[in-house]
Amino acid sequence: MAAAARGPLPAAGPDEADEAVRGTCEDASVCKRFAVSVGYWEDPYIQCFVRQAKERKAPEINRGYYARVHGVSYLLKAFLKKTECNCQIVNLGAGMDTLFWRLKDENLLPRKYFEVDFPMIVARKIHNIKSKPPLSKPIIESHSGDSLLIDSHSLDSSRYSIVGADLRFSSDLEEKLKKHNLDIHLPTLLIAECVLVYMTPQQSANLLKWAASTFPVAMFINYEQVLLKFCVNVWYLVNLLSHCKEYTTILKGGTLLSHSLPEVNMTDRFGQIMIENLQRRQCNLAGVEVCRSLEAQRERLLLNGWENAHAIDMMKVYSFLPQADVKRIEELEFLDEKELFEQLMQHYCICWASKDSSNLGLADITF
């Protein structure tokens, strides 16, 4: 390995690190589009945002995204049911997510739906919305009142807003959201998928504390890594599973197939490729120390102002999903290494927390 022989690359500066994080938006969207194309779930909008993958994605990755999308959706719809859609949703680090359009198709739109991401990501998404009628038409149809407000880094309608902001600065975030008519008195659902892990523990704590102190009735859903002894994220796994010619040998011979606590042996071929990808991508998981266990994830929420908190790994989420549909998707592709799939799923979790001054029953939401 030439890169390993040269030693580690210099640490990425703030700009390079942010660029690497922005790159994960494309990676996740491409994976979702591929899974949709195979038939794991329906999403006619993802193709408006991202190209089709040039290569097949591994079945383990497709099933992982299936569990992620359906797990978050299950909790979200439970919240919408408790609030009778008289609420607002704030999707933090939304990327190219299509949730607004899918909720509209199901007649499940909240009073208002907000998205927040880096200004560069937002600009790209707004360009797609403006240039593609399947995206712009639902926003126009759901809009009432004055004309739409739109510029290069924000879009605001009566039911949908997208804002360019840095989540590491909650005061700036709140100011921008309020300009787009955020109502702190409405029950509010905040969603963060693989977002907090890219922030330092203090930055993510500040964001969680801001949300808990701002909204009297709220729920927070967080999807990200867990049980990590090394900074692994789904991009590296996607890269390994999709591109590595020695895939079968590595997976059968590496430590990922052991029964010990999930840990990557960084001296084997699998680990070397992972190091190479880390160095090439310069993508630092700044918040990895909070991902050490499910209890640490739950404790972080409770320590930052949330009244109730839960955390379960994605293998358990997968087992809680409607089994008839799970059986359907398992027949889409042959999965050779079920044990690998289980260990990958155990490296990710869904955490959710609530505070409920109106006694809507948010604490009862669970799988």
Side-chain angles (χ1 to χ4, degrees):
M1 303 291 294
R6 288 194 300 268
L9 295 177
D15 292 341
E16 291 87 353
D18 284 355
E19 180 60 32
V21 172
R22 286 192 288 269
T24 65
C25 165
E26 177 77 7
D27 300 325
S29 300
V30 169
C31 287
K32 286 181 179 179
R33 176 163 180 180
F34 182 82
V36 166
S37 73
V38 176
Y40 281 83
W41 70 93
E42 292 184 7
D43 184 350
Y45 304 104
I46 189 68
Q47 63 184 348
C48 298
F49 288 116
V50 69
R51 59 181 169 79
Q52 181 59 289
K54 294 179 181 178
E55 64 287 314
R56 292 189 65 83
K57 302 301 179 184
E60 292 88 348
I61 298 302
N62 296 328
R63 291 190 190 183
Y65 273 97
Y66 169 86
R68 169 179 173 174
V69 169
H70 285 74
V72 171
S73 177
Y74 182 90
L75 294 175
L76 177 148
K77 288 180 178 179
F79 179 86
L80 291 174
K81 186 175 181 179
K82 291 285 188 184
T83 61
E84 299 179 340
C85 293
N86 185 32
C87 61
Q88 60 195 356
I89 294 175
V90 182
N91 194 336
L92 302 167
M96 300 298 125
D97 195 83
T98 61
L99 182 57
F100 168 81
W101 291 270
R102 290 182 282 123
L103 288 177
K104 185 179 185 302
D105 284 349
E106 296 182 62
N107 294 315
L108 287 175
L109 276 184
R111 288 260 295 271
K112 190 152 187 179
Y113 185 97
F114 298 86
E115 292 185 340
V116 184
D117 213 316
F118 282 115
M120 189 179 297
I121 299 291
V122 166
R124 177 185 160 193
K125 192 164 192 175
I126 290 174
H127 172 76
N128 283 317
I129 291 171
K130 291 190 330 187
S131 61
K132 296 177 180 177
L135 300 176
S136 58
K137 187 177 177 183
I139 294 174
I140 295 169
E141 288 176 346
S142 63
H143 179 66
S144 61
D146 298 331
S147 48
L148 293 170
L149 301 176
I150 185 167
D151 58 37
S152 60
H153 291 119
S154 64
L155 183 159
D156 187 34
S157 75
S158 59
R159 303 295 292 277
Y160 173 81
S161 286
I162 179 169
V163 177
D166 191 327
L167 298 175
R168 293 168 293 194
F169 304 101
S170 54
S171 58
D172 178 55
L173 170 64
E174 180 173 357
E175 179 184 346
K176 290 182 176 180
L177 287 172
K178 284 184 174 179
K179 284 182 179 178
H180 290 236
N181 298 310
L182 179 78
D183 184 350
I184 63 171
H185 302 294
L186 266 183
T188 302
L189 173 64
L190 301 104
I191 304 171
E193 298 184 46
C194 288
V195 170
L196 302 186
V197 72
Y198 294 111
M199 306 164 71
T200 67
Q202 187 59 57
Q203 289 167 344
S204 64
N206 290 343
L207 181 63
L208 290 168
K209 201 172 294 181
W210 165 78
S213 62
T214 299
F215 306 104
V217 181
M219 180 171 166
F220 198 107
I221 300 174
N222 178 37
Y223 168 88
E224 68 181 0
Q225 293 85 342
V226 71
L227 292 177
L228 292 188
K229 288 192 175 182
F230 186 77
C231 300
V232 181
N233 83 0
V234 76
W235 185 85
Y236 309 121
L237 295 172
V238 170
N239 191 68
L240 290 168
L241 298 179
S242 299
H243 300 292
C244 183
K245 294 179 181 177
E246 298 168 78
Y247 165 60
T248 304
T249 303
I250 291 167
L251 297 182
K252 288 182 178 177
T255 56
L256 274 182
L257 295 185
S258 72
H259 291 282
S260 61
L261 182 67
E263 181 175 11
V264 177
N265 178 357
M266 300 316 296
T267 62
D268 65 10
R269 173 65 176 158
F270 192 102
Q272 289 172 349
I273 295 173
M274 202 169 278
I275 289 173
E276 223 177 44
N277 285 328
L278 283 163
Q279 291 175 328
R280 186 182 302 117
R281 196 60 182 266
Q282 295 185 319
C283 193
N284 176 39
L285 301 188
V288 71
E289 70 179 70
V290 188
C291 301
R292 64 187 180 276
S293 68
L294 293 170
E295 183 56 32
Q297 290 276 13
R298 181 176 171 274
E299 187 177 83
R300 170 171 62 172
L301 292 163
L302 294 173
L303 288 174
N304 287 294
W306 296 88
E307 296 168 359
N308 301 281
H310 310 266
I312 60 175
D313 70 54
M314 292 306 295
M315 198 64 226
K316 285 192 174 65
V317 172
Y318 189 73
S319 71
F320 292 147
L321 296 177
Q323 290 304 293
D325 198 53
V326 169
K327 184 175 185 295
R328 176 190 67 80
I329 65 106
E330 287 182 344
E331 293 174 351
L332 293 174
E333 298 178 287
F334 176 69
L335 181 64
D336 184 42
E337 297 290 355
K338 292 185 178 179
E339 191 173 1
L340 167 71
F341 172 65
E342 291 177 3
Q343 291 207 0
L344 292 183
M345 295 287 273
Q346 288 164 358
H347 279 79
Y348 287 83
C349 68
I350 285 184
C351 319
W352 66 102
S354 63
K355 48 178 303 193
D356 188 3
S357 63
S358 296
N359 297 316
L360 297 178
L362 301 184
D364 300 330
I365 292 176
T366 189
F367 284 94

